[in-house]
Amino acid sequence: MEFKLLVDAGNTRVKTALMDAEGHLEPLFNVSYSDLPKQQIEHSLKGIWLAEVSGTERAQQVEAWLSQFAAPITTIQSEQAAFGVENAYETPQHLGVDRWLALIGAYNEVPKATLIIDAGTAITVDWLNAEGKHLGGWIVPGVDLMKQAVTARAPKVFSDADTDWGKAQQVGRSTPECLANGCVNAFVGVIRQALAVSETELDWFDFRVLFSGGSTPLLPADLKRRGELRTELVLQGLSYYAKTN
């Protein structure tokens, strides 16, 4: 049996899934770029669908890994409209393809007002209404980027391996703790403000909240309960492009 390979090449990790002839998805692996060359796929591939947001060096790593497969590669770009979703950007290609595919995946699963939050290298927030219109979003430095920005510019503010993971709703009692906790609480503040905008500015009271990204576990329990963890949302959106071919 031949499969279609879906590849979500993010800033720090590569996620993949296989699609069978009936359109069912089977997640394969979620690895760092350093571990990508070790990954093997035993199945015969009919085609490869690629969503890529990483820089040139990592894009070359992905291309080198994919070169082992005798299958055509389709690289997806953000569009003005597709699969019932309308892009808010005046220049559609400027919207990160990971965000575009997450919008498609969310809307085609449940056509409902949705707040999508991806907390990875950057924290992205996107609003999608019940008619499939992308209303816009935010981009904020991720938790690790916040810490790196401070330590790079202020030599006396240092990080500590024992306090690399900050804690929400807690104060720090050392410089590394203050930095780690401060960055996590800044992340929490972005999410609380996004919820407030949804309810007060958009008048949304019955809406979905979808979380993805490696920093999501740092959120306090009350925020986690507001939404669903959806780590494969980009691959789900990518699957609609693969199904059309």
Side-chain angles (χ1 to χ4, degrees):
M1 179 185 294
E2 284 190 321
F3 291 85
K4 296 177 179 180
L5 175 64
L6 311 185
V7 182
D8 169 16
N11 287 306
T12 59
R13 300 185 71 81
V14 179
K15 300 176 185 176
T16 63
L18 286 176
M19 176 187 287
D20 65 18
E22 296 179 349
H24 300 134
L25 283 185
E26 177 187 343
L28 278 181
F29 58 76
N30 177 347
V31 299
S32 65
Y33 279 84
S34 60
D35 287 332
L36 182 60
K38 306 172 190 175
Q39 307 306 312
Q40 301 293 323
I41 298 177
E42 305 299 332
H43 301 284
S44 176
L45 299 180
K46 181 178 181 180
I48 299 166
W49 278 260
L50 172 64
E52 198 166 48
V53 297
S54 56
T56 303
E57 181 179 347
R58 286 182 170 172
Q60 291 172 347
Q61 289 178 271
V62 173
E63 291 167 10
W65 180 72
L66 290 176
S67 66
Q68 67 183 292
F69 307 114
I73 301 173
T74 302
T75 302
I76 302 303
Q77 304 292 336
S78 299
E79 303 181 82
Q80 183 61 60
F83 305 105
V85 177
E86 181 182 345
N87 195 330
Y89 277 31
E90 290 185 6
T91 306
Q93 294 78 15
H94 288 177
L95 178 69
V97 69
D98 54 341
R99 294 168 63 196
W100 172 243
L101 292 172
L103 292 165
I104 290 173
Y107 179 74
N108 284 274
E109 181 181 66
V110 180
K112 182 177 181 178
T114 305
L115 177 64
I116 303 173
I117 299 158
D118 183 12
T121 302
I123 300 162
T124 62
V125 182
D126 284 287
W127 283 267
L128 177 70
N129 72 14
E131 289 72 45
K133 184 172 183 180
H134 177 220
L135 304 181
W138 296 337
I139 302 174
V140 180
V143 173
D144 284 341
L145 279 182
M146 292 185 210
K147 290 191 293 184
Q148 291 167 14
V150 174
T151 55
R153 296 292 297 272
K156 291 186 178 180
V157 177
F158 57 93
S159 60
D160 187 319
D162 292 334
T163 56
D164 274 352
W165 295 106
K167 296 179 180 178
Q169 301 174 177
Q170 292 194 24
V171 299
R173 293 183 175 84
S174 69
T175 297
E177 272 193 357
C178 288
L179 176 59
N181 291 358
C183 292
V184 169
N185 282 285
F187 166 40
V188 172
V190 169
I191 307 310
R192 294 199 189 281
Q193 183 65 6
L195 290 168
V197 167
S198 303
E199 294 168 351
T200 61
E201 302 299 322
L202 300 179
D203 291 327
W204 285 2
F205 291 98
D206 180 21
F207 62 97
R208 305 171 77 204
V209 180
L210 304 182
F211 292 114
S212 63
S215 294
T216 301
L218 302 176
L219 292 172
D222 67 305
L223 286 182
K224 290 178 186 175
R225 286 194 293 265
R226 289 291 304 266
E228 309 166 45
L229 181 61
R230 298 300 303 276
T231 59
E232 308 302 328
L233 198 57
V234 173
L235 289 171
Q236 188 172 325
L238 190 57
S239 72
Y240 289 94
Y241 281 93
K243 287 175 185 176
T244 62
N245 290 273

